[in-house]
Amino acid sequence: MEPQKEARTPPDLIVRPSGALRSQTLSEEERQEGGASLVASTLGAEADSASADGLWELPVEPAERRPECSRCSRPQKVCLCPFLPVHPLHISTHLYIIQHPAEENKVLRTVPLLAACLPQDKCKVKIGRRFSEERDVELSTVCRKSSTLILYPGAEATDLEEFILDSPVYPSTIIIIDGTWSQAKDIFYKNSLFRLPKQVKLVF
Ligand SMILES: [Zn+2]
């Protein structure tokens, strides 16, 4: 009787109750995972660009009130100017940076750093989401030049390095879109102007 009971008892303990326990535990884990990933998304860790977009609207950045360096536009305490070249770098290509309006207010702004390293006349920043031939005559002219490239990855994009090696003419202007992936995608596909220049990508 005793061994029989023992033999029957473990399945009772393991299969049925633990099955119920397991499903309970799983749903508990799922809840926890759900909660954890929500926290991760909220914190921006591994968040996709769509949820990251919303982050910049959160009122958590008192940076605007801190004194800023006039050259690199970073708060003076974390000014990066000592690490930047003393004199602007000589480049033959013009950079035309199309900046999503949300990028302008970010703490980690890279465009002012880039602009601080380049001659003023070689780096132009234009802020906005929509551009047209009528309103943006200068940009439109730049986009229509055969020596203008736009840096945007995709199946049709040529490796920039290969393009420069193969091309007899050095690009006069490279257009760069500054924003998250979803912001850049929106700007690239919703503005027909940006489909005019040859599309290039960086291959690492
Ligand atoms: Zn600085």
Side-chain angles (χ1 to χ4, degrees):
M1 289 304 281
E2 195 59 26
Q4 221 176 6
K5 195 185 174 187
E6 273 179 7
R8 213 173 40 238
T9 308
D12 280 355
L13 281 175
I14 294 164
V15 180
R16 276 204 305 264
S18 87
L21 189 68
R22 199 189 304 143
S23 68
Q24 199 176 22
T25 309
L26 272 180
S27 63
E28 190 66 37
E29 278 170 7
E30 281 160 10
R31 274 201 296 276
Q32 283 173 358
E33 276 169 20
S37 61
L38 183 68
V39 171
S41 307
T42 310
L43 291 175
E46 302 292 325
D48 61 25
S49 52
S51 58
D53 282 351
L55 279 180
W56 307 114
E57 290 158 22
L58 293 175
V60 292
E61 294 175 8
E64 296 300 305
R65 292 185 191 143
R66 285 182 283 177
E68 272 185 1
C69 167
S70 58
R71 188 182 178 212
C72 70
S73 302
R74 288 173 61 83
Q76 278 173 0
K77 275 188 180 175
V78 286
C79 162
L80 288 178
C81 289
F83 304 99
L84 302 181
V86 178
H87 301 291
L89 302 170
H90 287 287
I91 57 167
S92 52
T93 304
H94 290 76
L95 294 185
Y96 212 116
I97 297 166
I98 304 299
Q99 190 174 55
H100 190 281
E103 276 307 291
E104 198 189 0
N105 299 317
K106 275 192 187 176
V107 169
L108 287 171
R109 283 169 288 178
T110 46
V111 168
L113 291 178
L114 178 64
C117 298
L118 300 175
Q120 273 188 349
D121 65 325
K122 291 289 171 70
C123 183
K124 183 164 179 103
V125 181
K126 201 165 172 71
I127 298 165
R129 295 173 67 236
R130 296 292 177 265
F131 305 93
S132 70
E133 302 244 8
E134 299 74 38
R135 281 186 291 113
D136 307 281
V137 179
E138 187 196 84
L139 179 63
S140 172
T141 310
V142 167
C143 287
R144 291 194 171 280
K145 278 188 186 167
S146 61
S147 57
T148 296
L149 306 176
I150 185 159
L151 188 66
Y152 191 84
E156 288 130 64
T158 311
D159 176 5
L160 177 60
E161 213 165 331
E162 271 177 33
F163 177 85
I164 288 172
L165 289 175
D166 294 345
S167 171
V169 188
Y170 218 71
S172 67
T173 304
I174 298 182
I175 299 172
I176 300 169
I177 303 173
D178 182 35
T180 63
W181 281 114
S182 65
Q183 290 165 351
K185 191 176 171 186
D186 173 75
I187 290 176
F188 182 73
Y189 287 106
K190 300 263 175 78
N191 293 287
S192 57
L193 272 180
F194 297 139
R195 248 70 53 70
L196 296 173
K198 178 147 186 67
Q199 194 181 335
V200 291
K201 62 184 171 187
L202 294 172
V203 179
F204 297 102

